[in-house]
Amino acid sequence: MDRILLGGSRLSLDRFRADPVLAALQWPDDVLQDFLFEHGDHGPFVVVDCGHLDLSAITWTLEAIPATDFHTMPTGESEAGLIEHFAQNPVYWASVKVPEVGRHWEDHGTWLRPPLLIDRRLLDPADSGLHVLEGRTRVGVLRGRLREQLRVTPHHQAWVGRP
C-alpha cells in the first residue's frame, strides 16, 4: 500500500489510475480519486482511520441514501467534529468551493459530487450502519441545511463501500 499512498501526490490521476495494483481493485474513478489519489498521503487519515482496511475486500456501488441517515453518521477519529463544524454554516461552506457547488445545492438540494461512505462492518471495531470516509464538508453542509430548513432532497447519491 505504500506505493499507492506515496504516488498520489506526485503523479497525474491518469498515471496513478494505471498502476497495476490500483487497476486490480476495479474501483470507480470517483472513489479512486477521492479516496486514494487525493488523500492517500494524508497520514492521520490513512493511518488512524483507514490503516486497517483491506482495500481489495471493498466493493463500491452508487446508492441513494435517505437524508435523515446522514444526521448522525460518524466519521473517522482523525477528523472528529469536522462534520459539525461545516454544519454550523452550510451556505458559507458550499460557497467557498467552486461556484457550481453552491448553485447545485440551491437548484437541486444535494451535492454536486457523491461522498464516499463505508459499511462500518469493515472498520475496527466493526459496527452496523455507514461511516463517512470522504466528503465531510458535503455531509456537514447537508446536516446544516437540514437544520436551517433549506432546500434538501429526501435522498442523496453516495458511493458506498461494502464487504
Side-chain angles (χ1 to χ4, degrees):
M1 190 156 161
D2 289 335
R3 189 170 80 155
I4 294 171
L5 300 177
L6 294 174
S9 62
R10 295 188 199 128
L11 299 172
S12 71
L13 178 59
D14 287 336
R15 280 192 58 210
F16 185 75
R17 183 182 315 138
D19 184 295
V21 174
L22 297 174
L25 290 176
Q26 298 182 8
W27 285 8
D29 285 346
D30 284 349
V31 175
L32 188 65
Q33 180 178 351
D34 278 1
F35 182 29
L36 296 179
F37 184 74
E38 292 181 6
H39 299 289
D41 60 356
H42 181 262
F45 173 71
V46 172
V47 175
V48 176
D49 296 344
C50 305
H52 63 281
L53 289 175
D54 177 0
L55 302 182
S56 65
I58 303 171
T59 300
W60 295 94
T61 56
L62 192 59
E63 299 180 17
I65 308 293
T68 54
D69 285 7
F70 290 96
H71 185 66
T72 58
M73 195 178 292
T75 192
E77 188 178 316
S78 73
E79 304 287 349
L82 195 56
I83 291 174
E84 278 309 309
H85 170 75
F86 296 130
Q88 290 172 5
N89 197 344
V91 174
Y92 169 77
W93 287 107
S95 74
V96 297
K97 302 292 182 178
V98 295
E100 294 81 12
V101 170
R103 280 197 301 272
H104 200 79
W105 275 107
E106 294 303 317
D107 295 344
H108 302 284
T110 191
W111 35 66
L112 185 61
R113 192 173 165 157
L116 309 182
L117 311 178
I118 195 160
D119 188 313
R120 293 173 66 194
R121 292 177 295 169
L122 290 164
L123 300 178
D124 185 20
D127 204 348
S128 61
L130 296 174
H131 170 98
V132 179
L133 184 65
E134 170 45 24
R136 292 166 186 90
T137 305
R138 288 167 271 189
V139 173
V141 167
L142 172 63
R143 285 184 190 177
R145 289 181 69 87
L146 284 167
R147 262 199 305 264
E148 294 181 12
Q149 298 182 345
L150 300 171
R151 182 174 187 199
V152 173
T153 62
H155 290 83
H156 301 268
Q157 294 290 305
W159 285 105
V160 179
R162 298 193 187 274

